């Protein structure tokens, strides 16, 4: 793409782990579109991920942080502002983790310490990020802050477990904080509800392969890929979407509006025929 939608824009990208990560794809596309940014992830992820190699290519400094720690987040924002000599224009929250999912604990047998951790890492960290940014007055007027969500916030999908609750809270935080940040500072906050995507976090979900196939068949446009999510994120970071705020935007090939598709009906009828 020849245009430079993010020319001169500066930001922070949280959650790029490896080249499958949605945040990684967004970082690649933002860089192509002229943005400068810092990258942040946990010290463990930085040790095991591949982020260092990529950060050199896009001239991005890596700032380690556990997104549940307010002091770590303060450090990410202050170091980023130091690097860029002032306020920034965009922030990506691309963070999710559930120990209940990892350990195979079902939703009717949750470990509550894990549950609180899921909520803290996957949703409250977004509030912490926004509160730190606002208190430090880190975001320029018309800046754009994005987090990644999933349709399990609205509809029940087998296997998504306590992450569904975390995503509901994440989307609610985008609305509640979006009102205040918009009113006081013209900063917009949105969530993108992305199709299931095979990444490290995505692959932890029980039955991921079947889910990806099902949503692909059900969506008139097919599943949205991580690269397509990156394209859309760039538009939401750009000045082309200045009046979009407090929204959860489905980026899912139409899946969220479907109940039954021709392909799914054909498959369903076939399985009934097989039963006879
Ligand atoms: N993959 C999917 O199917 C899918 C669909 C919709 C939404 N999402 C969301 O997209 C986002 C990115 O996930 P992904 O699929 O790219 O997987 P990923 O595993 O590449 O990214 C998840 C990231 O969260 C980071 N993280 C975990 N705990 C953290 C903490 N305490 N502090 C800071 N960072 C922490 C991990 O290190 C990792 O980089 C998540 O919010 C996820 O829920 C994913």
């Amino acid at each position: 793409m020849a245009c430079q939608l993010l020319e001169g824009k500066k930001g922070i990208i949280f959650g790029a782990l490896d080249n499958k990560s949605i945040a990684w794809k967004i970082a690649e596309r933002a860089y192509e579109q002229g943005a400068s940014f810092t990258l942040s992830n946990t010290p463990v992820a930085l040790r095991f991920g591949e982020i260092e190699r990529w950060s050199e290519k896009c001239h991005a400094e890596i700032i380690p942080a556990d997104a549940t720690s307010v002091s770590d987040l303060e450090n990410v924002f202050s170091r980023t502002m130091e690097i860029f000599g002032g306020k920034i224009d965009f922030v990506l929250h691309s963070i999710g983790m559930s120990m209940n999912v990892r350990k195979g604990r079902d939703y009717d047998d949750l470990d509550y310490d894990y549950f609180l951790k899921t909520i803290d890492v996957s949703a409250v960290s977004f509030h912490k990020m926004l509160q730190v940014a606002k208190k430090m007055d880190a975001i320029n007027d018309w800046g754009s802050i994005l987090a990644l969500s999933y349709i399990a916030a609205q509809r029940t999908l087998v296997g998504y477990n306590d992450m569904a609750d975390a995503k509901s809270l994440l989307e609610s935080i985008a609305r509640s904080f979006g009102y205040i940040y918009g009113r006081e500072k013209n900063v917009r906050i949105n969530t993108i509800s992305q199709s299931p995507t095979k990444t490290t976090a995505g692959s932890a979900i029980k039955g991921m392969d079947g889910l990806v196939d099902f949503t692909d068949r059900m969506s008139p446009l097919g599943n949205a890929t991580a690269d397509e999510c990156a394209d859309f994120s760039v538009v939401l970071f750009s000045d082309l979407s200045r009046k979009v705020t407090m929204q959860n935007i489905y980026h899912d090939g139409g899946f969220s509006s479907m109940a039954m598709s021709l392909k799914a009906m054909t498959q369903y009828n076939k399985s009934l025929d097989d039963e006879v």
Side-chain angles (χ1 to χ4, degrees), residues 15 17 21-22 41-42 45 66-67 94-95 121 149 167 196-197 199 201 208:
L17 176 67
S21 298
I22 300 171
N41 212 322
T42 60
D66 176 342
S94 185
I95 295 171
V121 171
S149 194
K167 291 305 188 192
T197 313
T199 60
M208 184 66 174

Side-chain angles (χ1 to χ4, degrees), residues 10 18 27 42 44-46 53 57 67 84 86 121 125 136 138 143 160 162 177 185 201-202 206 212 216 222 238 266:
K10 300 161 187 83
D18 55 30
T42 60
V44 177
L46 295 176
R53 190 168 45 80
K57 272 201 209 160
F84 295 125
V121 171
S125 63
M136 293 175 79
Y160 204 67
D162 56 349
F177 218 111
K185 297 276 178 187
K206 214 193 292 181
V212 167
D216 198 45
S238 81
T266 308

Side-chain angles (χ1 to χ4, degrees), residues 21-269:
S21 298
I22 300 171
W24 184 293
K25 304 287 185 192
I26 295 173
E28 278 182 329
R29 196 52 49 92
Y31 181 66
E32 276 169 29
Q33 292 291 326
S36 311
F37 44 81
T38 56
L39 294 162
S40 182
N41 212 322
T42 60
V44 177
L46 295 176
R47 264 202 309 282
F48 293 108
E50 306 157 15
I51 194 70
E52 224 161 89
R53 190 168 45 80
W54 162 241
S55 71
E56 281 165 21
K57 272 201 209 160
C58 63
H59 311 290
E61 183 167 317
I62 301 174
I63 310 169
D66 176 342
T68 64
S69 156
V70 170
S71 59
D72 281 10
L73 290 171
E74 283 167 347
N75 181 52
V76 175
F77 277 90
S78 65
R79 177 71 195 129
T80 303
M81 291 207 299
E82 199 179 296
I83 290 168
F84 295 125
K87 294 191 200 185
I88 59 170
D89 307 287
F90 67 92
V91 177
L92 175 71
H93 177 287
S94 185
I95 295 171
M97 200 279 301
S98 161
M99 285 304 287
N100 281 306
V101 168
R102 281 196 189 170
K103 300 275 185 192
R105 298 288 295 249
D106 288 332
Y107 192 69
D108 54 356
D109 181 36
L110 289 184
D111 176 296
Y112 289 112
D113 289 332
Y114 293 166
F115 188 28
L116 291 176
K117 190 78 186 158
T118 301
I119 300 292
D120 197 15
V121 171
S122 312
V124 179
S125 63
F126 190 43
H127 192 285
K128 290 176 179 170
M129 224 173 255
L130 295 166
Q131 190 161 297
V132 164
K134 184 165 181 287
K135 284 190 176 165
M136 293 175 79
D137 198 15
I139 315 286
N140 278 318
D141 261 42
W142 303 107
S144 173
I145 304 180
L146 265 186
L148 289 173
S149 194
Y150 185 53
I151 194 175
Q154 286 81 26
R155 312 269 161 84
T156 299
L157 283 109
V158 63
Y160 204 67
N161 214 318
D162 56 349
M163 280 299 291
D165 304 310
K167 291 305 188 192
S168 299
L169 178 57
L170 183 83
E171 292 177 13
S172 177
I173 289 170
R175 283 186 295 272
S176 303
F177 218 111
Y179 168 58
I180 296 168
Y181 222 160
R183 186 188 66 197
E184 293 183 18
K185 297 276 178 187
N186 290 331
V187 170
R188 53 216 159 94
I189 307 176
N190 296 289
T191 52
I192 295 180
S193 185
Q194 164 67 9
S195 292
T197 313
K198 284 187 193 165
T199 60
T200 303
S203 303
I205 303 298
K206 214 193 292 181
M208 184 66 174
D209 286 341
L211 184 64
V212 167
D213 185 64
F214 175 74
T215 55
D216 198 45
R217 285 173 198 269
M218 286 291 286
S219 314
L221 301 180
N223 286 336
T225 64
D227 283 312
E228 287 163 336
C229 185
D231 288 341
F232 189 47
S233 302
V234 162
V235 173
L236 287 177
F237 286 148
S238 81
D239 291 335
L240 298 183
S241 55
R242 281 160 70 104
K243 289 289 171 78
V244 181
T245 194
M246 302 164 68
Q247 302 300 314
N248 176 53
I249 309 168
Y250 293 103
H251 183 254
D252 64 356
F255 175 76
S256 45
S257 291
M258 291 297 301
M260 178 53 90
S261 71
L262 184 60
K263 277 186 195 168
M265 179 62 90
T266 308
Q267 194 60 37
Y268 178 72
N269 285 337

